Amino acid sequence: MDAVSDPLVNTVVWISSAQVGKTELLNNIVGYHVHQDPAPILLLQPTLEMGQAWSKDRLAPMLRDTPALKGRVKDARSRDSGNTLLHKTFPGGHITIAGSNSPASLASRPIRIVLCDEVDRYPPSAGTEGDPVNLARKRTTTFWNRLTLLTSTPTIRGASRIEAEFEISDQRRFFVPCPHCDETQHLKWAQVTWPEGMPEQAQYACEHCGALWTEAEKNSAIKAGEWIATAEFNGRAGFHLNEIYSPWSTLADMAQGFVEAKKSPETLKTWINTSLGETFEEQGEELDAGLLYQRREHYVTDVPAGGLVLTAAVDVQDDRLECGVEAWGVGEENWKVDYRTFWGDPSKTTLWNQVRDFLATRYTRDDGVTLGIACAVVDSGGHYTQQVYQFVKALESRRVYAIKGRGGAGLPVVGRPSRGNIGKVQLFSIGVDTAKEVTAARLRGLEPGPGYVHFPIDERFDTEYFDQLGAEKCVTKFYKGSPRREWVKTRARNEAWDIANYNLAALYILNPNFAVLAAKAGTDEIDDEPEAVTTPTEQIINARRQTKRAGRRRTKGYVNKW
């Protein structure tokens, strides 16, 4: 707050872990300007929905319950309040709440105070207008005492907006004195240590004298600490804080969380971002096909014991259809099971009939149970969209669905289905960039368990298959000064890579309850038919159908009665 009110500071950057007070900082700044220094304020959230949530869940209670602020912003129900969910006025100023994905909300209004929350979750461009942070900053140019605040937990190194902003600031860190030698230091995860296999006994080791701090000593040291800049001041005050400083977390909690997180690159990335407040550096942007090939293992039967449900994916090429079948278990552990290529003309029904028969194949698990394919997806984004629609329409009762990829950061792996297409089939949109991030992270996993990917020693999974699996790499490109991560092909054929991502989408469409399936595995209660699982999408559709039928019955009875 001292930096925010310092007339020499025009930009404040706050990069940190989760749950260390970022939102309270925003609240305090808004409250200060409502009460002490009225000004036009813009608060920018990643989406308009998140802005609405902040307005209802954080701003409204603060204005209502803080004595100094009570009554300064009139109730929204008052006729002359000038108060809506996203725009609130007060004597001498106003606050506008906007979404970074809405260019209209960033244009044509002079703003003195710009507050940007979770900037690493912003899209590269607000519509076609450009970088949302720069658009917001331009609104402040007419004020000599303008201020921009940027806060976020970071994401990927090289593509993190908040990291880039912090690096051009004066990079202030919170230094604390050692309870034993009195030397100061800022707290780093590298100094946290614990006996082998006992993370619950984690302690902090002083980087100067090596003395181990108890939890109480750490907390006392933090109370005696101070912010110290580690770079030259240029009008930008930068602050970094991690979870070690949090009064709501202990070193033991963090150590136990780290031990669990490091089992998978996905969870480790999340832990580094949200606990350490640091960017995650990918261990390799390109998958090593040779190392993946060496990981092949011998399956006793078609499906190893951990496999509980099967999915399939079909990739459509101009002269063939590529099909892959995969098994999934607890924690989304993955086993590649089958891979086939059907050569022919995709415009001919005979080729699709071969795929239809293939999707009816049943596979034997180690315990003797035979499993059918519970959900299959077919890519409809190529030259044979009409043929795909005809194929899946006849097989929707067997959970065979059409999919279409959508590029862009932050999209869910599977979007809501739509029937607004020429085939009137359930069409699922797939966030391909997100799916590829997940798949690549799991392929880099080294320890069997949740998220790990297994490959069989089988001629269908030859060197060409693994070359296709490693056929894309992630690169960082800059558009209008903003970094954007993109997947680019390194070779012509990449069907195995696409099919791996499509199978992940099929799993998310199916959304099985692995705990229930695991409990039934190996018992007489198990039902391995695909019809045994009902997806959330199907549940919604079935409920709507039942409601419509009930409505028709009531209407029919009403007409007959009269």
Side-chain angles (χ1 to χ4, degrees):
M1 288 301 295
D2 289 340
V4 168
S5 57
D6 187 340
L8 298 179
V9 174
N10 58 57
T11 302
V12 175
V13 181
W14 175 266
I15 177 174
S16 71
S17 60
Q19 304 300 324
V20 291
K22 291 197 305 296
T23 303
E24 286 307 312
L25 174 63
L26 295 173
N27 294 347
N28 289 339
I29 295 173
V30 170
Y32 169 76
H33 285 286
V34 170
H35 185 226
Q36 295 289 338
D37 186 15
I41 304 169
L42 173 66
L43 186 132
L44 194 59
Q45 291 282 356
T47 65
L48 207 55
E49 292 75 18
M50 293 177 68
Q52 292 171 340
W54 179 82
S55 179
K56 290 187 292 187
D57 300 339
R58 298 302 183 95
L59 179 60
M62 181 182 71
L63 296 175
R64 180 193 65 216
D65 300 335
T66 305
L69 302 178
K70 193 170 185 178
R72 289 184 172 268
V73 179
K74 292 185 179 180
D75 193 282
R77 292 167 292 184
S78 173
R79 290 187 179 182
D80 62 343
S81 67
N83 180 347
T84 66
L85 187 62
L86 297 176
H87 183 76
K88 300 180 183 295
T89 60
F90 49 87
H94 61 80
I95 176 168
T96 301
I97 303 154
S100 64
N101 57 346
S102 175
S105 61
L106 300 177
S108 302
R109 58 167 59 93
I111 297 294
R112 181 185 147 203
I113 309 296
V114 172
L115 309 176
C116 300
D117 192 19
E118 291 297 346
V119 296
D120 269 19
R121 275 72 183 170
Y122 291 3
S125 177
T128 59
E129 302 295 325
D131 177 52
V133 173
N134 289 335
L135 288 175
R137 274 175 167 159
K138 288 179 181 179
R139 306 276 70 82
T140 69
T141 54
T142 57
F143 292 90
W144 68 269
N145 56 347
R146 58 185 174 271
L147 175 74
T148 300
L149 172 75
L150 306 171
T151 77
S152 189
T153 51
T155 50
I156 301 296
R157 182 163 299 175
S160 170
R161 180 186 272 109
I162 196 69
E163 180 186 53
E165 293 283 352
F166 180 74
E167 288 178 349
I168 59 175
S169 72
D170 62 1
Q171 302 181 28
R172 305 182 192 189
R173 299 181 185 275
F174 199 74
F175 282 74
V176 305
C178 173
H180 301 271
C181 69
D182 209 35
E183 292 289 337
T184 60
Q185 59 209 280
H186 66 91
L187 304 183
K188 300 182 288 289
W189 180 247
Q191 298 303 119
V192 178
T193 182
W194 60 87
E196 181 68 28
M198 292 184 287
E200 67 278 2
Q201 297 183 20
Q203 291 181 296
Y204 193 89
C206 173
E207 64 183 59
H208 299 288
C209 69
L212 297 179
W213 304 358
T214 64
E215 196 69 32
E217 288 176 328
K218 183 204 74 171
N219 293 336
S220 296
I222 292 172
K223 291 178 181 179
E226 62 178 334
W227 289 103
I228 299 177
T230 59
E232 185 178 353
F233 177 71
N234 58 358
R236 296 168 174 261
F239 300 85
H240 178 270
L241 206 63
N242 58 43
E243 190 180 328
I244 300 175
Y245 293 93
S246 174
W248 301 287
S249 179
T250 65
L251 293 175
D253 292 336
M254 290 188 67
Q256 290 170 347
F258 171 73
V259 170
E260 289 298 317
K262 71 176 185 178
K263 294 179 180 179
S264 164
E266 287 177 87
T267 54
L268 181 60
K269 171 184 176 294
T270 301
W271 187 87
I272 289 175
N273 292 163
T274 60
S275 290
L276 298 188
E278 297 175 1
T279 52
F280 180 75
E281 185 172 11
E282 298 283 3
Q283 295 303 307
E285 296 295 298
E286 189 172 359
L287 294 169
D288 190 322
L291 289 178
L292 293 175
Y293 180 82
Q294 294 174 13
R295 276 172 38 183
R296 297 186 308 162
E297 56 194 81
H298 179 67
Y299 291 2
V300 176
T301 59
D302 301 325
V303 182
L308 300 172
V309 66
L310 299 182
T311 62
V314 181
D315 186 47
V316 182
Q317 299 295 320
D318 289 340
D319 59 352
R320 65 192 183 278
L321 300 177
E322 302 265 350
C323 306
V325 178
E326 302 184 9
W328 303 86
V330 174
E332 298 183 13
E333 191 168 1
N334 179 230
W335 291 264
K336 309 299 183 185
V337 173
D338 200 353
Y339 196 92
R340 304 291 178 91
T341 301
F342 298 89
W343 296 92
D345 184 354
S347 66
K348 303 297 183 183
T349 305
T350 51
L351 182 63
W352 288 99
N353 287 343
Q354 294 179 52
V355 176
R356 179 199 61 198
D357 295 340
F358 170 71
L359 294 179
T361 305
R362 299 188 68 81
Y363 297 85
T364 304
R365 194 168 60 193
D366 286 355
D367 58 3
V369 171
T370 61
L371 299 174
I373 294 169
C375 182
V377 296
V378 186
D379 179 28
S380 66
H383 301 152
Y384 299 94
T385 302
Q386 187 61 43
Q387 286 78 14
V388 172
Y389 287 166
Q390 292 174 354
F391 178 73
V392 301
K393 191 166 188 176
L395 297 175
E396 278 193 351
S397 62
R398 288 170 53 182
R399 297 196 189 89
V400 179
Y401 303 117
I403 59 173
K404 187 173 182 179
R406 287 181 59 199
L411 296 175
V413 174
V414 177
R416 292 182 178 180
S418 168
R419 289 190 181 271
N421 51 73
I422 192 171
K424 303 300 180 185
V425 301
Q426 283 197 71
L427 176 64
F428 288 86
S429 66
I430 306 301
V432 290
D433 288 345
T434 306
K436 289 175 180 180
E437 292 279 359
V438 173
T439 300
R442 293 180 177 183
L443 286 170
R444 295 188 185 104
L446 300 177
E447 297 182 13
Y452 186 78
V453 182
H454 302 260
F455 303 97
I457 298 176
D458 189 289
E459 62 182 6
R460 289 166 292 185
F461 296 86
D462 55 10
T463 55
E464 172 62 22
Y465 170 87
F466 287 93
D467 287 341
Q468 291 183 24
L469 200 60
E472 292 191 14
K473 66 178 181 179
C474 191
V475 299
T476 300
K477 297 183 178 180
F478 286 82
Y479 294 86
K480 298 181 179 179
S482 297
R484 184 185 302 176
R485 288 165 58 82
E486 292 185 358
W487 290 88
V488 297
K489 293 173 67 173
T490 59
R491 68 194 306 270
R493 292 193 58 181
N494 68 337
E495 295 82 33
W497 169 246
D498 285 340
I499 285 175
N501 292 300
Y502 297 161
N503 266 293
L504 178 68
L507 176 70
Y508 285 11
I509 292 172
L510 186 64
N511 193 28
N513 188 327
F514 285 116
V516 172
L517 293 174
K520 292 182 178 180
T523 71
D524 294 336
E525 298 179 23
I526 190 167
D527 185 351
D528 62 306
E529 295 291 336
E531 290 76 18
V533 182
T534 303
T535 70
T537 301
E538 290 172 328
Q539 294 170 9
I540 294 171
I541 293 171
N542 292 337
R544 288 175 177 171
R545 286 174 178 169
Q546 292 173 5
T547 301
K548 289 181 179 179
R549 290 180 187 137
R552 285 195 295 268
R553 286 196 295 269
R554 287 195 296 269
T555 303
K556 183 177 180 181
Y558 179 85
V559 172
N560 290 343
K561 181 177 179 181
W562 294 98

